[in-house]
Amino acid sequence: MNEALKKTEKDFLDFVKKMGAYNEALSLIYWDLRTGAPKQGVDQRTEVIGMLSSEVFKMSTSEEMAAYIAKLSGEEAAASLDAITVKVLEESKKEYDRNKKIPAEEYKEYVILQSKAESVWEEAKEKSDFTLFQPYLEKLVEANKRFIQYWGYEGNKYNTLLDLYEPGVTVDVLDEVFGELRSKIVPLVKSISESDSKPDTSFLYENFPKEKQRDFSLEILKQMGYNFDAGRLDETVHPFATGLNPGDVRVTTKYDEKDFRTAVFGTIHEGGHALYEQNISKDLIGTPLCTGTSMGIHESQSLFYENFVGRSESFWKKNYGLLKQYADGQFDGVELEDFYRAINESKPSLIRIEADELTYPLHVIVRYEIEKGLFNDEIEVKDLPEIWNSKYEEYLGVRPSNDAEGVLQDVHWAGGSFGYFPSYALGYMYAAQLKQALLKDLPDYDQLLEKGDLAPVKEWFTKNVHQYGKLKKPLEILEDVTGEGLNASCLSEYLYEKYGKVYRLKESSR
Amino acid sequence: MNEALKKTEKDFLDFVKKMGAYNEALSLIYWDLRTGAPKQGVDQRTEVIGMLSSEVFKMSTSEEMAAYIAKLSGEEAAASLDAITVKVLEESKKEYDRNKKIPAEEYKEYVILQSKAESVWEEAKEKSDFTLFQPYLEKLVEANKRFIQYWGYEGNKYNTLLDLYEPGVTVDVLDEVFGELRSKIVPLVKSISESDSKPDTSFLYENFPKEKQRDFSLEILKQMGYNFDAGRLDETVHPFATGLNPGDVRVTTKYDEKDFRTAVFGTIHEGGHALYEQNISKDLIGTPLCTGTSMGIHESQSLFYENFVGRSESFWKKNYGLLKQYADGQFDGVELEDFYRAINESKPSLIRIEADELTYPLHVIVRYEIEKGLFNDEIEVKDLPEIWNSKYEEYLGVRPSNDAEGVLQDVHWAGGSFGYFPSYALGYMYAAQLKQALLKDLPDYDQLLEKGDLAPVKEWFTKNVHQYGKLKKPLEILEDVTGEGLNASCLSEYLYEKYGKVYRLKESSR
């Protein structure tokens, strides 16, 4: 490689690392705001966020960036660049194109619209009145339709939005897998509601002191292989995990003293996200590749640990005794099997974030179908409450009695996030497929959980998923590991087997 | 004012506010590093610090900055600019000049030298061997001598370094006040060491659980008027306070379960710093004026609260009962007067940061005399251990037996901070003079403390000191409030009265 090109490559990486540094500072600011920043400092902190993010945005669309892309995309360059640089360039180009194609003035208006829409949504939800929010949602949808035109699309217009969160996953793919999933889950939910062997859950709601929940959660994080020299656990209102860099990946949780499940399963879930970020290859630090490859693959890690580890019988064979030690006598006289059944109770409900493992995908599918309809001009915003309620009734057998517990429950649309919801269910399917592959390498998976030896599981994921960061695309990871594309059957088989057992369904209705 | 000028003024302020935003992000990063950031993330965080601070440095010395200074310094501009802009411009120009006058290459080398020197100092201190550190200290002194040449000086060369931390305070001033202070304190320390009425301190060292110390410290911060909606208290190794913006000023402390004074007086001290930063005028937010005007004035606030409030009899009349409630029986049977005398024990010692209120200024004076000698070519680096030890013997009556407890004890010189030490003692003198002025407005000061009503004290300081931030220079504040310049007599009179009483000295030896 010639010297000039080498120098350009280095300068480009330095430029990108500077953006990475600003983003790391921003992540710390967000973490701080959500874990105890004094409230009177928030206004000024918001200014700081504005300055830093607009600087990153400017850099990503700068002439300097354009020049790097041009210089490094030539044929000679492509052949001699470092493999990581090639991927970094690809990411940078994608972002450059995406940001540059929207006229600056229009983007500015959109940012203002987003922020207004969020505060109107809040009010609308409080008053449970969709009509307040409707004009803003209409504008947000219109704006995104224009963006789709600017960005272009292949096949279905909605594909362009899906691509923002789950590169490579299209409407064709989702129609197939979500269709199958829906057709499998809906009857299972019905069988369960008719089961005459429902678990007793009364003992779940006793007092479990916060500090004890925290201590138990820390034990579980340790068991999962979460590295406390590269992280910490804090309290927050809406739990999240955040990777500042692989050596600093923080988990947050919240405590409900009348329901320990909030903290315990919440921590395991965020811990799954955190394991991903802690184990990305150090070679990627400071580059835009040093994060999870997509929302869906990220969610596969959190859901794997939350459900396939945390809600499994083997895991509790190891940990139920420990839980009892921390609890205040709450589980005295409760058998392991009854405990296991209780924490796996499934009941159709109206609110997505409170949904159980089995019904959760249906909440996502409702949103997917609505978004797809909106961006293909088959659904109008004004009809959303009615469409929402009817779908809930059809798929889950429950009908919202007002907008707050219906179409207004999530903030996503108010923030202009369309195409995001499918990731939640995708993650679930990825997780089920990955588990199938993992079992081939670790056939003694259940025994490992019973021993509390989760290290081989973490190592398997690091080897097959974590280390790559964004070096591989989501479907590339899936195919490399499982040898096949996305499917719904792994997940639906798992759900049939598990819930058939928990609800003691007859073979015929499984 | 013409439109073009108005626009330049606005652009300049935006430019400066961007630097302020980066600095605020940096402050949060430093706070985080010192209160619990996971250690494996530190290397990458250091990169982030490097990028952000070099960006701020670049901006402060940029052509853009030079252009603003040129355009806004004209006669027409000066007459029509906002008063705050004028001061911001003054600060920016000062920093521009200071940073620009050092050749870029030389400054870069100096930054590397600083960082090497700090790690060598650490090793030297551990091995208690000054000769290891000596060559680095020599280079640091040489570099600063060159800087003095670049920057220029008036009167004494050392003035230029003093000006970095305490604008307006010169060797002439310090020779006079430190001379007087030394001549007053040395004999008082001697009288005390000969007193046959020393306080009993045995009860200070009993077990005082950390959580209880924390709860008591929080009560005291509340009493001081520290605003918890604009701050928080955390644990750290080397306590500090940090003002991110006036709505977010954080205090840190450390707990010694065998000596509650560390946390209690440490928190009051940092709380004093924090009150300053919380009460700076909101008009200054985002500008470089939104911080304490100098190290010395800052220290006057922390020392005022630590010593003139926290170690006073009136304060403990109110709070001794409260302390007993939090303590584990430690003070049962100990009278208030005995408690008061114990917490005011004075004993010459070797380590500055562990020194008591009375002997502390002597530690500072030793360092001042040495620095002055170094930069006037009257002292050579190689002779420092001997000079240091002799001065300690002369002023404090104690002689270090090795370098670690002598000349190597402080990190300041390793970081290239020359001219900083005097601020500690200056703050003390400022505090004593400010107190005298405060007593004229609040003659019932002692009664206020006895009632725990510290609000009027805080309000007095806000009105006379805090609100101005850097709008006024340190000596300007002092003169506006007291009507006079710096003097040592306020402080020495206070010390004579207080320690005369605590050690029951005869009038003749006071």
Side-chain angles (χ1 to χ4, degrees):
Chain A
M1 170 158 53
N2 70 52
E3 286 305 310
L5 195 61
K6 221 177 225 165
K7 166 112 183 29
T8 308
E9 179 175 9
K10 193 190 166 297
D11 290 347
F12 167 65
L13 290 176
D14 284 347
F15 188 72
V16 163
K17 282 186 178 167
K18 190 163 156 187
M19 292 166 65
Y22 290 4
N23 278 327
E24 183 164 333
L26 281 164
S27 299
L28 181 66
I29 293 174
Y30 286 121
W31 170 83
D32 182 66
L33 281 174
R34 293 173 67 178
T35 55
K39 63 183 182 187
Q40 290 183 9
V42 172
D43 280 352
Q44 172 57 12
R45 192 65 35 79
T46 308
E47 294 280 319
V48 175
I49 290 174
M51 302 240 191
L52 279 167
S53 14
S54 83
E55 193 61 29
V56 173
F57 184 83
K58 266 187 218 163
M59 290 175 78
S60 76
T61 56
S62 62
E63 284 173 22
E64 202 172 344
M65 178 60 92
Y68 286 129
I69 293 172
K71 282 185 203 162
L72 297 175
S73 300
E75 261 180 46
E76 188 203 343
S80 57
L81 289 180
D82 179 86
I84 289 177
T85 310
V86 173
K87 291 280 179 183
V88 173
L89 193 68
E90 202 179 297
E91 274 298 314
S92 304
K93 188 174 176 327
K94 194 168 168 181
E95 207 177 321
Y96 178 86
D97 288 340
R98 192 175 281 158
N99 292 335
K100 262 310 215 203
K101 281 178 180 164
I102 302 174
E105 202 48 41
E106 197 172 330
Y107 186 75
K108 212 167 144 186
E109 274 166 30
Y110 181 67
V111 172
I112 297 167
L113 173 65
Q114 276 176 318
S115 119
K116 268 195 202 153
E118 284 192 34
S119 69
V120 172
W121 165 78
E122 227 167 279
E123 197 197 331
K125 186 177 173 185
E126 215 180 284
K127 298 187 175 160
S128 191
D129 182 356
F130 180 74
T131 61
L132 291 176
F133 182 50
Q134 185 186 320
Y136 291 87
L137 186 53
E138 280 166 352
K139 278 183 206 160
L140 286 163
V141 170
E142 284 318 309
N144 276 277
K145 282 183 180 171
R146 284 195 307 275
F147 295 170
I148 293 172
Q149 294 302 328
Y150 296 138
W151 292 329
Y153 63 93
E154 279 176 46
N156 193 297
K157 288 176 188 168
Y158 184 47
N159 285 346
T160 297
L161 300 178
L162 289 173
D163 194 67
L164 295 174
Y165 305 98
E166 209 61 24
V169 172
T170 62
V171 166
D172 284 348
V173 174
L174 289 183
D175 277 349
E176 192 191 320
V177 292
F178 282 175
E180 185 186 337
L181 208 53
R182 202 183 80 194
S183 73
K184 289 278 174 53
I185 295 180
V186 170
L188 181 57
V189 170
K190 195 158 178 287
S191 304
I192 280 177
S193 72
E194 288 158 1
S195 158
D196 51 12
S197 182
K198 298 205 170 73
D200 168 21
T201 59
S202 56
F203 57 85
L204 295 176
Y205 306 100
E206 282 171 41
N207 197 63
F208 196 144
K210 190 167 139 169
E211 290 71 29
K212 297 288 181 182
Q213 290 192 38
R214 184 169 171 277
D215 292 345
F216 178 74
S217 300
L218 288 171
E219 289 284 348
I220 298 303
L221 278 176
K222 213 154 87 187
Q223 206 174 111
M224 287 168 67
Y226 176 76
N227 178 358
F228 282 94
D229 284 338
R232 48 184 285 171
L233 176 66
D234 293 87
E235 197 177 343
T236 191
V237 180
H238 301 290
F240 63 100
T242 180
L244 304 160
N245 67 57
D248 186 354
V249 182
R250 306 181 183 194
V251 173
T252 64
T253 196
K254 75 170 174 183
Y255 302 96
D256 178 347
E257 296 205 314
K258 294 292 173 201
D259 190 346
F260 73 96
R261 293 175 302 175
T262 303
V264 170
F265 293 110
T267 306
I268 298 176
H269 180 99
E270 301 306 337
H273 281 304
L275 287 184
Y276 192 175
E277 299 275 333
Q278 281 190 336
N279 294 295
I280 293 174
S281 164
K282 301 242 179 305
D283 298 342
L284 304 180
I285 289 181
T287 77
L289 309 176
C290 197
T291 183
T293 187
S294 71
M295 294 296 145
I297 296 288
H298 232 308
E299 206 63 18
S300 79
Q301 299 306 294
S302 53
L303 289 173
F304 181 90
Y305 279 95
E306 180 184 349
N307 293 330
F308 300 162
V309 174
R311 292 188 209 270
S312 74
E313 226 171 337
S314 318
F315 177 79
W316 288 106
K317 275 188 190 158
K318 166 73 186 173
N319 292 305
Y320 188 45
L322 193 67
L323 182 73
K324 281 180 165 176
Q325 283 172 33
Y326 286 97
D328 217 7
Q330 176 174 6
F331 306 111
D332 290 357
V334 179
E335 295 296 322
L336 172 61
E337 198 201 336
D338 295 324
F339 173 81
Y340 169 71
R341 292 184 68 209
I343 60 166
N344 282 295
E345 185 195 32
S346 172
K347 222 161 47 181
S349 64
L350 295 168
I351 306 296
R352 178 182 59 84
I353 58 165
E354 293 165 8
D356 57 74
E357 187 185 5
L358 173 62
T359 56
Y360 192 88
L362 297 176
H363 292 261
V364 172
I365 292 172
V366 167
R367 288 154 177 80
Y368 164 70
E369 292 177 356
I370 288 176
E371 289 188 348
K372 190 179 65 165
L374 280 172
F375 288 97
N376 285 287
D377 302 309
E378 290 156 1
I379 291 180
E380 282 185 63
V381 169
K382 71 171 170 46
D383 300 325
L384 285 191
E386 176 51 34
I387 294 172
W388 182 286
N389 295 349
S390 301
K391 283 190 187 282
Y392 262 77
E393 195 160 14
E394 187 186 346
Y395 303 161
L396 284 139
V398 289
R399 191 180 177 90
S401 60
N402 61 54
D403 296 339
E405 60 181 32
V407 67
L408 287 176
Q409 67 182 265
D410 298 306
V411 68
H412 302 56
W413 290 343
S417 298
F418 303 101
Y420 186 112
F421 280 121
S423 327
Y424 291 120
L426 277 168
Y428 215 174
M429 287 185 278
Y430 289 145
Q433 290 185 259
L434 290 170
K435 189 187 165 190
Q436 204 176 51
L438 175 144
L439 286 178
K440 284 185 194 143
D441 295 331
L442 298 175
D444 57 341
Y445 175 77
D446 280 311
Q447 288 75 50
L448 290 171
L449 262 57
E450 281 172 30
K451 282 190 292 178
D453 182 11
L454 295 177
V457 177
K458 188 195 79 173
E459 281 154 23
W460 188 89
F461 275 113
T462 294
K463 183 176 161 243
N464 290 290
V465 181
H466 303 162
Q467 62 161 326
Y468 297 110
K470 279 194 155 188
L471 277 177
K472 288 187 181 185
K473 295 249 182 306
L475 292 178
E476 202 178 340
I477 286 183
L478 189 71
E479 278 156 25
D480 287 354
V481 180
T482 66
E484 50 185 30
L486 192 66
N487 72 55
S489 50
C490 275
L491 178 60
S492 63
E493 278 161 25
Y494 156 81
L495 291 171
Y496 267 75
E497 198 195 319
K498 177 167 179 175
Y499 284 91
K501 214 176 134 197
V502 169
Y503 279 85
R504 295 168 181 163
L505 304 180
K506 296 187 199 76
E507 283 299 328
S508 64
S509 66
R510 286 196 185 177
Chain B
M1 172 158 51
N2 71 50
E3 285 306 311
L5 195 61
K6 219 177 226 165
K7 166 116 186 17
T8 308
E9 179 175 9
K10 192 190 166 299
D11 290 348
F12 167 65
L13 289 175
D14 284 348
F15 188 72
V16 164
K17 282 187 177 167
K18 190 165 156 186
M19 292 166 65
Y22 290 3
N23 278 327
E24 182 164 333
L26 281 164
S27 299
L28 181 66
I29 293 174
Y30 286 120
W31 171 84
D32 182 67
L33 281 174
R34 295 174 68 178
T35 55
K39 62 182 183 187
Q40 291 184 8
V42 171
D43 280 353
Q44 171 57 14
R45 193 64 36 79
T46 307
E47 295 280 319
V48 175
I49 290 174
M51 303 241 191
L52 278 168
S53 14
S54 84
E55 191 63 28
V56 174
F57 184 82
K58 266 188 218 163
M59 289 174 79
S60 76
T61 56
S62 62
E63 285 173 23
E64 202 172 343
M65 178 61 91
Y68 286 129
I69 293 171
K71 281 185 203 163
L72 296 175
S73 300
E75 261 181 46
E76 188 203 342
S80 57
L81 289 179
D82 179 87
I84 290 176
T85 310
V86 173
K87 290 281 178 184
V88 173
L89 192 69
E90 202 179 297
E91 274 299 313
S92 304
K93 189 174 176 327
K94 195 168 168 182
E95 206 177 323
Y96 179 86
D97 288 340
R98 190 175 283 158
N99 292 335
K100 263 307 214 203
K101 282 178 178 162
I102 303 175
E105 202 49 42
E106 196 171 331
Y107 186 75
K108 212 169 146 185
E109 274 167 30
Y110 181 68
V111 172
I112 296 166
L113 174 65
Q114 276 176 317
S115 119
K116 268 196 202 151
E118 283 192 36
S119 69
V120 173
W121 166 79
E122 226 167 282
E123 198 197 333
K125 186 177 172 185
E126 215 180 284
K127 297 186 177 160
S128 192
D129 181 357
F130 179 74
T131 61
L132 291 176
F133 181 51
Q134 185 187 320
Y136 291 87
L137 185 54
E138 280 166 351
K139 278 183 206 161
L140 285 164
V141 170
E142 284 317 310
N144 276 277
K145 282 183 180 172
R146 285 195 306 276
F147 296 171
I148 293 172
Q149 295 302 329
Y150 296 138
W151 291 330
Y153 63 93
E154 278 176 46
N156 193 296
K157 288 176 189 167
Y158 183 48
N159 285 345
T160 298
L161 300 179
L162 289 172
D163 193 67
L164 296 174
Y165 306 99
E166 209 61 26
V169 172
T170 62
V171 166
D172 284 348
V173 174
L174 289 183
D175 277 350
E176 193 190 320
V177 292
F178 282 176
E180 186 186 337
L181 209 52
R182 204 184 79 196
S183 73
K184 289 279 173 54
I185 295 180
V186 170
L188 181 56
V189 169
K190 196 158 175 290
S191 306
I192 280 178
S193 71
E194 289 159 0
S195 158
D196 50 12
S197 181
K198 298 206 171 73
D200 168 20
T201 59
S202 56
F203 57 85
L204 295 176
Y205 305 100
E206 282 171 43
N207 197 63
F208 197 145
K210 190 167 139 169
E211 290 71 30
K212 297 289 182 182
Q213 290 191 39
R214 185 170 170 276
D215 292 345
F216 178 73
S217 301
L218 288 171
E219 289 284 348
I220 298 303
L221 279 177
K222 212 154 85 185
Q223 207 174 110
M224 288 168 66
Y226 176 77
N227 177 359
F228 281 94
D229 284 337
R232 48 185 283 169
L233 176 66
D234 293 87
E235 198 176 343
T236 191
V237 180
H238 300 291
F240 63 99
T242 180
L244 303 160
N245 66 57
D248 186 353
V249 182
R250 305 181 183 193
V251 174
T252 64
T253 195
K254 75 171 173 182
Y255 302 97
D256 178 347
E257 295 205 317
K258 295 290 173 201
D259 190 346
F260 73 97
R261 293 176 301 175
T262 304
V264 170
F265 293 111
T267 306
I268 298 175
H269 180 97
E270 301 306 336
H273 281 303
L275 287 184
Y276 194 174
E277 299 275 334
Q278 281 190 337
N279 294 295
I280 294 174
S281 164
K282 301 236 178 311
D283 298 341
L284 303 179
I285 289 181
T287 77
L289 310 176
C290 196
T291 183
T293 187
S294 72
M295 295 295 145
I297 296 289
H298 232 309
E299 207 64 16
S300 78
Q301 300 306 295
S302 52
L303 290 173
F304 181 90
Y305 279 95
E306 181 185 349
N307 293 331
F308 300 161
V309 174
R311 291 187 210 271
S312 74
E313 227 172 338
S314 318
F315 177 79
W316 288 106
K317 276 190 191 157
K318 164 74 185 174
N319 292 304
Y320 189 44
L322 193 67
L323 182 73
K324 282 180 164 175
Q325 283 172 32
Y326 286 97
D328 219 5
Q330 176 174 4
F331 306 110
D332 290 357
V334 178
E335 294 297 322
L336 172 61
E337 199 201 335
D338 296 323
F339 172 82
Y340 169 71
R341 293 184 68 208
I343 60 166
N344 281 296
E345 186 195 31
S346 173
K347 224 164 39 183
S349 65
L350 294 167
I351 306 295
R352 178 182 59 85
I353 58 166
E354 293 164 7
D356 56 73
E357 186 185 6
L358 173 62
T359 56
Y360 192 89
L362 297 176
H363 292 259
V364 172
I365 292 171
V366 167
R367 288 154 178 80
Y368 164 71
E369 293 177 357
I370 289 177
E371 290 189 348
K372 191 180 65 165
L374 279 172
F375 289 97
N376 285 288
D377 302 308
E378 290 157 3
I379 291 181
E380 283 184 64
V381 169
K382 70 171 171 45
D383 301 325
L384 285 191
E386 176 51 34
I387 294 172
W388 182 286
N389 295 348
S390 302
K391 283 191 187 279
Y392 262 77
E393 195 162 11
E394 186 186 346
Y395 302 162
L396 284 138
V398 290
R399 191 180 177 90
S401 60
N402 62 53
D403 295 340
E405 60 182 31
V407 68
L408 287 176
Q409 67 182 266
D410 299 306
V411 68
H412 302 57
W413 290 343
S417 298
F418 302 100
Y420 186 112
F421 281 121
S423 327
Y424 292 120
L426 277 168
Y428 214 173
M429 288 184 278
Y430 290 145
Q433 290 185 258
L434 290 170
K435 189 187 165 190
Q436 204 177 49
L438 177 144
L439 286 178
K440 285 184 194 144
D441 295 331
L442 298 175
D444 57 341
Y445 175 78
D446 280 312
Q447 289 74 48
L448 290 171
L449 263 57
E450 282 172 30
K451 283 190 291 179
D453 181 12
L454 295 176
V457 177
K458 187 195 79 174
E459 281 154 23
W460 188 89
F461 276 113
T462 294
K463 182 176 159 239
N464 289 291
V465 181
H466 303 162
Q467 61 161 326
Y468 298 110
K470 279 194 155 188
L471 277 177
K472 289 188 181 185
K473 297 247 182 305
L475 293 179
E476 202 179 339
I477 287 183
L478 189 71
E479 278 157 23
D480 287 354
V481 180
T482 67
E484 50 185 29
L486 192 66
N487 72 55
S489 51
C490 275
L491 179 59
S492 62
E493 278 162 25
Y494 156 81
L495 292 171
Y496 267 74
E497 198 195 318
K498 176 167 181 177
Y499 286 91
K501 213 174 135 198
V502 169
Y503 280 84
R504 296 169 181 161
L505 304 180
K506 296 186 200 81
E507 283 299 328
S508 63
S509 67
R510 286 196 184 178

